Amino acid sequence: MAGHFELVDAPDGGYRVRMLDGSGNLIAISVTFPTKRAAVAGIGMAREIAGTGLIRDYSSNRAGAIIRDRTGPVSSPKDNAAARGKKVSGAARAVAG
């Protein structure tokens, strides 16, 4: 199941956007937007960035290195084997869920 966005009141006025995964776990929370319209525009921007943006690694000593150009959906061992035309073992099926 896909995740979703929630508009919530910010503590000091305005609105924030929460991004949750399909299980309802918090993934990210935005800056404070002054209006709901601005918050919805922020969601549009987040969707665009998430779909096309590069991943830059600013963790210790990586100095903004690009991890990979594009990301795709997370795949399971079962999906990977099916794409290659192979059968999946019982252990791999258990891991893939």
Side-chain angles (χ1 to χ4, degrees):
M1 180 170 139
H4 64 276
F5 295 97
E6 296 178 343
L7 291 177
V8 296
D9 293 321
D12 297 333
Y15 303 91
R16 287 193 177 168
V17 176
R18 294 192 298 205
M19 182 172 64
L20 292 88
D21 67 12
S23 298
N25 297 309
L26 182 65
I27 300 296
I29 192 159
S30 72
V31 298
T32 299
F33 293 96
T35 64
K36 284 186 181 181
R37 178 180 227 133
V40 171
I43 291 170
M45 187 182 308
R47 287 176 170 163
E48 178 68 23
I49 292 167
T52 62
L54 297 175
I55 301 170
R56 295 193 185 272
D57 184 357
Y58 285 100
S59 60
S60 300
N61 301 321
R62 294 296 297 174
I66 296 173
I67 293 177
R68 58 182 166 166
D69 292 341
R70 298 184 191 274
T71 60
V74 176
S75 60
S76 69
K78 182 178 176 182
D79 295 336
N80 292 336
R84 292 188 306 268
K86 296 181 180 178
K87 291 190 176 188
V88 180
S89 71
R93 273 194 302 276
V95 170

